[in-house]
Amino acid sequence: DKEQLEPLTVGKIIKAISDKEKPDLIILGKQAIDDDCNQTGQIVATLLEIPQATFASELKKNDDNTLEVTREVDGGLETVKVNIPCVVTTDLRLNEPRYASLPNIMKAKKKPIEEISAADLGVDTAPRVEQIKVEEPPKRKAGIKVANVAELVQKLKNEAKVI
């Protein structure tokens, strides 16, 4: 089905699959391509009540059943430690993609894929948000040029009444 699902619905589907499969690690992308939001990973972690690490550029599994996640932040890199099971959202620098060989592609085509519908998982996919209309904001008036600072201050005081 090609319809776009709301992030909470996607989170509920992932939670239902996770409840069935019991994974140690759930890896999701950093953000959605349609609205550029990064909420699905956080929603999944909240629904499952497990730790999360976002924007991961490097992962390292420790012997004590924890994961060290290096993540990109505004000031550079930060390393956090999370308990497993956890949710990790990835940054594009997390790995170098590897490409499957032709024989492995042919083997993969023969493997059965279990198809599960959202209804089978008990998740309602009906939209909860209705878009009523989309319109452009009103056109703004053109700006004006002032000769000097005194004229600018006078216009801000008397015409715009902002100071």
Side-chain angles (χ1 to χ4, degrees):
D1 200 353
K2 301 285 186 208
E3 73 182 53
Q4 179 182 343
L5 296 175
E6 296 166 353
L8 181 58
T9 303
V10 173
K12 288 179 179 179
I13 291 170
I14 295 171
K15 179 190 183 319
I17 293 169
S18 179
D19 288 345
K20 178 181 172 188
E21 300 289 331
K22 304 287 186 214
D24 285 339
L25 177 63
I26 299 172
I27 300 176
L28 300 167
K30 179 170 88 172
Q31 62 202 48
I33 194 168
D34 53 356
D35 59 7
D36 211 28
C37 290
N38 63 337
Q39 53 193 349
T40 305
Q42 290 86 335
I43 289 171
V44 170
T46 300
L47 291 172
L48 291 171
E49 298 179 357
I50 60 176
Q52 64 175 314
T54 56
F55 313 126
S57 60
E58 185 179 332
L59 298 175
K60 179 183 165 202
K61 187 172 186 303
N62 299 321
D63 293 335
D64 62 350
N65 215 28
T66 62
L67 204 60
E68 282 186 31
V69 180
T70 302
R71 55 190 304 264
E72 296 192 15
V73 294
D74 290 340
L77 297 176
E78 172 185 60
T79 300
V80 295
K81 190 175 188 179
V82 292
N83 292 323
I84 294 174
C86 63
V87 173
V88 173
T89 64
T90 63
D91 185 77
L92 62 97
R93 286 168 268 296
L94 180 62
N95 73 325
E96 186 69 35
R98 64 174 193 223
Y99 300 97
S101 64
L102 185 58
N104 285 338
I105 291 172
M106 300 309 289
K107 287 180 196 174
K109 283 185 175 184
K110 294 177 183 171
K111 297 254 184 199
I113 297 176
E114 180 185 7
E115 291 189 27
I116 304 170
S117 71
D120 293 341
L121 296 170
V123 177
D124 177 16
T125 60
R128 289 163 179 76
V129 176
E130 179 184 350
Q131 186 172 0
I132 298 172
K133 68 179 176 177
V134 176
E135 59 185 41
E136 289 186 28
K139 297 281 185 206
R140 294 181 3 172
K141 294 183 207 173
I144 59 168
K145 290 184 180 181
V146 293
N148 54 43
V149 174
E151 185 184 353
L152 172 64
V153 170
Q154 182 270 330
K155 288 190 177 290
L156 290 172
K157 262 186 188 174
N158 301 330
E159 294 177 25
K161 300 196 186 310
V162 293
I163 57 171

